[in-house]
Amino acid sequence: MSHIPVSVVVAAGGSPDDFHACLESLRPSLGMRDEVVCVLPAGRPELRAELRGQSWLRVLDDGPGDPGERWAMGLEATRHPIVVLLDGDVVLSAHWLDPVLEAFGDPAVVAAGPRCQHSYGPQQADLPDAALTSAAAFKAFARDWRQEHRDEFTDVDRLGPVCVAVRRDALAIAGGPTADLPYEGLAAQGRLVVAHAALVAHVGSPLCGLRSWESRDSRDDDTAPLLTASLIVKDEEDVLARSLDAVRDLVDEIVVYDTGSSDGTVEIARRHGARVVEGFWSDHFGDARNRCLEHCRGRWVLWVDADEVFTGDAAAVRDALRRTEGSACFATIDNREGHEGGAGSSTIYYPRMFRRARGRIYGRLHEQVVDRVTGRALGGSLLPELVLDHSGYTRLRALAKNKAQRNLRLARLAAEDVSGLTAVGNLARSQLGSGHIEECIETARRGLAEATEHTHHVLFLKILADAYLAVGRLAEAGETIEELRGIANTPFTVAEHEVKLRFAEGDYERALELIGELPESGANDLLYGVGKGRFAGIHVDALTRLDRHREAARELRSALRAGQVPIPVARMAQVLGAAGGSLAEVAELLPREGLRGLLFTVAEAPPEAADELLEALWRRYPGEPGILALAARVGRQVPLIRAMEWSARLRRHGFPARCTLLTLSADGRRTPRERTLAAAIALEMFHDEAALPLLHEALAAVPDAGSAAVLDEMRILAPQVSANIELADA
């Protein structure tokens, strides 16, 4: 197949052998009118030796610039409307260029690329080891690949940095070449396409030409801050301040990228010293985080969510960063999770801190830190002092952010963006979390059928087990758990599902035995933390079902002392009451650091139980803003006398707008009598004129038969207001 003339810009890199292999594979794929320039980086004389006698290309000497500057130099030296930007340690297959350029037959296409081993983004292709044993093996594999994927093109949201063809004029409009290439600007002008029939192999070695700029942000560069906290936010005014306060002593700068808040999020971020970038949301977490990353200056970046609070040792983390040679550090993330209305917990270990020059964020949903060139997950070691407390999975928080449906929508989009089992796994998890169980089972089965890696087998079996448990298909859950047992590397991977299965079967004794066999902490095959603490709620419930009430209360008290809230508030009242205790114990037993998680749980409790616990918490932590904020919400649901007490406290501490009497009087779910008396008391006690229209509205709703009784109560609770009403009626 002949193709339109093209300019090829090669960024020389890799070892001499890698570079030689690149040139040897490139030349046969060119047409007569194609032109090639090779940009040679400074300080690589061994690569210049490989260019001797290569009269078919032009050599340009480069300075110490980044890849974007190198591409720009090559563009200035070429002339064809379509330019291929090619890393110098890529091995090309026969005829790879033809399908890539074929895509440009559609004028709407502005950029296209081949499938590529070790490339960031949807171009990425995983090649079997057998295909990489020799040049001949790769050519044979690529020939079969080309036949299998002939005429297969996919629209994508971005391409990678290793090998891409682009329209010169579109690249200029997008702002010119950059280290990562301006794909958002290109996508605004037309289609980005992967030509699946084209296949290239990228070595991706440390000498790769796309890595040259990493030295600017090396460990020894003292001109840049050590550490930046990077956050993307939208309508996070309820949690952001605490998150920013927690990282203040850890980081040198905070960058907050706002995706369109309509509340006080931006103002809170600025008050806490953050540099705020007012951006936009494109249904893509990875893109938003990378846009934030562009404004970070630190040699290291800590990716934090607004509903996460750093609880580790700031000095120890900073000292470790100064000494480490790695590219990333794993954080311990303690997730507070909904447990039938309560807040259980789980732990995961995740690379949240990384060298800015080496990493970027990939994925529309459940994003991860990857090598900015190869797209492979950044490796590193666990930094025990780096601990984040995450409340985003509590049921109340998830409902407030509509996370389940949002994640399902993004997971579906992500599955369309890229092929691969990671996207399929994210889709299955999102279907499970949003209650689309049958869809989840179908997706997980498909993923299991396609899985070749151990982690994917484990992931899909675990999702299947949870899905079957969610709909009570216990026999199938048991079969799946046994299959998982056969491949798991650690018993923790299986035990967490078996505990839930035995509990669902009513075998409470066996569930307790399995919990007892768990360690205090450990990790399963997917690096999720597993231990006794995660099953504290089931432990308490199983003991209760066996009428072992004193043991259940003892287990609950132990969990509370450890900072856990394993069951809902109403259940805690029952468990403690059955053993002669009360909810007041919760306020005394739970350490202060557990207060935040408890308040999320209280918000979902029945009003009477919530009020009882809030009162106990108020006695222990008088003036605590979090308690007042929750009391303002709960207070409109409690008896009138309790609403009066919370109103007085809120006003005394500077929150008159949250007065529970006012909110109660405006709540159509309360009786006209209650609403009338609440407004009258607010007017009588606090002289708040905002209560006046609420009083008139509520009075009008009181039935004639009940008006005399309401007025009698008002004479006692709000005598001056009742006198004024009677005077007006006289």
Side-chain angles (χ1 to χ4, degrees):
M1 178 187 292
S2 61
H3 59 244
I4 56 177
V6 64
S7 301
V8 180
V9 180
V10 181
S15 69
D17 288 342
D18 296 337
F19 185 44
H20 178 81
C22 176
L23 297 179
E24 287 293 301
S25 63
L26 172 62
R27 188 174 184 181
S29 65
L30 298 175
M32 292 291 294
R33 293 181 294 165
D34 295 340
E35 60 178 350
V36 181
V37 297
C38 180
V39 186
L40 186 67
R44 297 294 307 275
E46 74 280 17
L47 298 185
R48 181 176 290 279
E50 297 298 328
L51 293 167
R52 293 192 189 109
Q54 305 284 7
S55 59
W56 54 279
L57 55 78
R58 178 182 172 191
V59 180
L60 304 177
D61 288 311
D62 182 27
D66 67 27
E69 295 167 342
R70 196 163 298 146
W71 298 138
M73 178 181 290
L75 283 167
E76 287 182 9
T78 57
R79 58 189 172 83
H80 289 310
I82 295 177
V83 182
V84 174
L85 306 177
L86 182 68
D87 188 31
D89 63 348
V90 165
V91 178
L92 305 156
S93 62
H95 310 293
W96 71 278
L97 194 50
D98 294 331
V100 171
L101 296 180
E102 182 185 348
F104 289 94
D106 181 351
V109 172
V110 296
R115 294 293 297 277
C116 181
Q117 181 201 33
H118 297 164
S119 177
Y120 167 76
Q123 287 178 264
Q124 187 169 9
D126 295 323
L127 305 187
D129 292 340
L132 302 173
T133 55
S134 67
F138 174 66
K139 288 179 180 178
F141 180 85
R143 182 172 57 251
D144 293 341
W145 175 287
R146 186 168 63 252
Q147 292 299 322
E148 181 181 351
H149 297 283
R150 184 179 298 277
D151 299 323
E152 186 178 332
F153 299 90
T154 302
D155 282 45
V156 295
D157 63 337
R158 66 177 57 251
L159 295 160
V162 175
C163 179
V164 61
V166 61
R167 292 192 191 272
R168 185 188 298 267
D169 56 352
L171 185 56
I173 293 171
T178 58
D180 294 320
L181 297 178
Y183 286 120
E184 286 189 7
L186 288 169
Q189 302 175 63
R191 297 171 57 203
L192 309 180
V193 173
V194 170
H196 291 275
L199 183 66
V200 303
H202 178 221
V203 177
S205 71
L207 294 174
C208 171
L210 299 179
R211 297 193 182 282
S212 60
W213 76 307
E214 290 182 3
S215 60
R216 293 182 174 187
D217 292 298
S218 69
R219 185 165 56 91
D220 299 322
D221 179 9
D222 294 327
T223 63
L226 176 65
L227 179 59
T228 298
S230 172
L231 297 87
I232 62 169
V233 298
K234 182 178 181 181
D235 294 336
E236 304 283 8
E237 66 178 4
D238 57 331
V239 293
L240 181 59
R242 177 162 179 166
S243 180
L244 297 181
D245 283 339
V247 297
R248 189 186 307 278
D249 295 332
L250 172 64
V251 303
D252 301 289
E253 68 170 1
I254 301 172
V255 178
V256 170
Y257 183 91
D258 185 77
T259 62
S261 292
S262 58
D263 63 0
T265 293
V266 169
E267 291 75 16
I268 290 170
R270 287 184 173 134
R271 281 203 307 270
H272 284 75
R275 186 162 74 256
V276 178
V277 180
E278 296 191 51
F280 61 95
W281 176 243
S282 57
D283 279 342
H284 201 298
F285 277 102
D287 283 355
R289 293 198 189 280
N290 287 326
R291 290 195 293 271
C292 185
L293 200 59
E294 291 173 5
H295 298 272
C296 298
R297 298 174 300 176
R299 285 167 278 160
W300 287 82
V301 173
L302 172 64
W303 146 28
V304 188
D305 284 336
D307 51 15
E308 291 176 336
V309 174
F310 171 69
T311 60
D313 186 330
V317 170
R318 291 180 63 84
D319 182 59
L321 289 188
R322 294 186 184 99
R323 292 183 285 104
T324 186
E325 298 288 344
S327 297
C329 295
F330 280 67
T332 299
I333 304 176
D334 293 324
N335 291 309
R336 300 184 183 277
E337 300 176 330
H339 173 73
E340 298 174 353
S345 64
S346 66
T347 300
I348 62 173
Y349 307 100
Y350 210 72
R352 285 294 197 86
M353 191 141 50
F354 59 95
R355 291 190 188 273
R356 180 170 58 87
R358 298 183 190 175
R360 61 179 297 120
I361 314 298
Y362 180 62
R364 186 184 287 272
L365 177 69
H366 300 309
E367 59 277 28
Q368 58 183 312
V369 183
V370 299
D371 184 288
R372 69 182 305 122
V373 176
T374 67
R376 289 176 287 192
L378 278 189
S381 57
L382 178 66
L383 187 54
E385 298 84 3
L386 182 58
V387 183
L388 298 172
D389 178 21
H390 180 215
S391 62
Y393 292 139
T394 58
R395 197 171 80 176
L396 181 69
R397 180 75 182 153
L399 286 173
K401 302 294 288 184
N402 196 22
K403 283 192 172 184
Q405 294 304 317
R406 180 206 66 189
N407 285 359
L408 179 59
R409 177 172 55 82
L410 294 183
R412 285 171 173 160
L413 289 172
E416 296 172 4
D417 289 345
V418 295
S419 59
L421 291 181
T422 297
V424 176
N426 287 340
L427 177 57
R429 288 196 294 169
S430 297
Q431 289 167 334
L432 178 63
S434 59
H436 294 72
I437 307 300
E438 293 303 326
E439 292 179 28
C440 168
I441 291 171
E442 182 180 345
T443 302
R445 283 174 172 166
R446 173 164 61 91
L448 195 59
E450 297 175 7
T452 57
E453 297 182 9
H454 171 75
T455 54
H456 286 144
H457 277 292
V458 170
L459 171 65
F460 288 115
L461 285 172
K462 288 173 71 63
I463 292 172
L464 266 179
D466 279 336
Y468 287 138
L469 286 168
V471 291
R473 292 163 62 173
L474 303 186
E476 290 165 287
E479 292 171 3
T480 305
I481 290 169
E482 288 308 309
E483 188 175 351
L484 180 62
R485 195 190 310 278
I487 67 168
N489 292 327
T490 166
F492 311 148
T493 302
V494 180
E496 55 188 305
H497 299 285
E498 191 172 3
V499 167
K500 290 183 280 189
L501 175 62
R502 300 310 170 203
F503 185 86
E505 291 174 334
D507 190 350
Y508 306 122
E509 292 284 5
R510 180 56 182 155
L512 291 172
E513 289 175 10
L514 290 168
I515 293 171
E517 294 169 3
L518 287 169
E520 292 301 324
S521 63
N524 66 21
D525 285 25
L526 301 179
L527 290 184
Y528 279 65
V530 180
K532 285 186 174 68
R534 187 173 185 183
F535 299 98
I538 292 180
H539 197 163
V540 171
D541 286 344
L543 290 168
T544 302
R545 302 287 177 91
L546 294 168
D547 294 327
R548 293 158 62 177
H549 299 297
R550 291 192 178 279
E551 291 176 76
R554 186 164 59 247
E555 180 63 28
L556 174 58
R557 290 171 181 134
S558 176
L560 289 167
R561 289 189 190 96
Q564 289 184 285
V565 186
I567 56 176
V569 170
R571 285 282 297 121
M572 287 195 287
Q574 294 170 354
V575 171
L576 293 171
S582 72
L583 273 179
E585 292 182 64
V586 177
E588 295 302 319
L589 291 170
L590 194 75
R592 188 181 183 92
E593 55 267 26
L595 178 61
R596 180 166 169 263
L598 176 61
L599 292 178
F600 277 109
T601 308
V602 174
E604 296 187 286
E608 297 79 6
D611 182 49
E612 180 184 350
L613 185 49
L614 283 173
E615 183 64 31
L617 290 169
W618 182 260
R619 288 196 297 269
R620 185 175 180 190
Y621 304 111
E624 173 66 36
I627 298 173
L628 283 170
L630 189 53
R633 183 186 306 164
V634 172
R636 67 188 178 200
Q637 301 173 300
V638 299
L640 191 60
I641 191 68
R642 293 293 301 146
M644 289 171 56
E645 292 183 57
W646 284 117
S647 291
R649 290 166 178 169
L650 284 159
R651 289 175 179 275
R652 187 164 62 250
H653 289 275
F655 300 102
R658 295 191 171 189
C659 169
T660 52
L661 288 171
L662 294 181
T663 55
L664 190 159
S665 64
D667 190 341
R669 292 168 295 183
R670 302 298 291 258
T671 66
R673 166 192 165 272
E674 293 171 318
R675 291 165 53 203
T676 298
L677 293 175
I681 295 168
L683 195 57
E684 179 89 17
M685 291 179 62
F686 309 117
H687 310 290
D688 192 335
E689 293 187 2
L692 197 55
L694 295 171
L695 176 60
H696 290 313
E697 183 180 341
L699 269 173
V702 174
D704 291 341
S707 59
V710 171
L711 193 57
D712 285 342
E713 288 186 272
M714 196 185 302
R715 291 189 186 103
I716 298 171
L717 298 173
Q720 187 61 50
V721 173
S722 66
N724 289 338
I725 291 174
E726 290 177 294
L727 184 62
D729 290 340

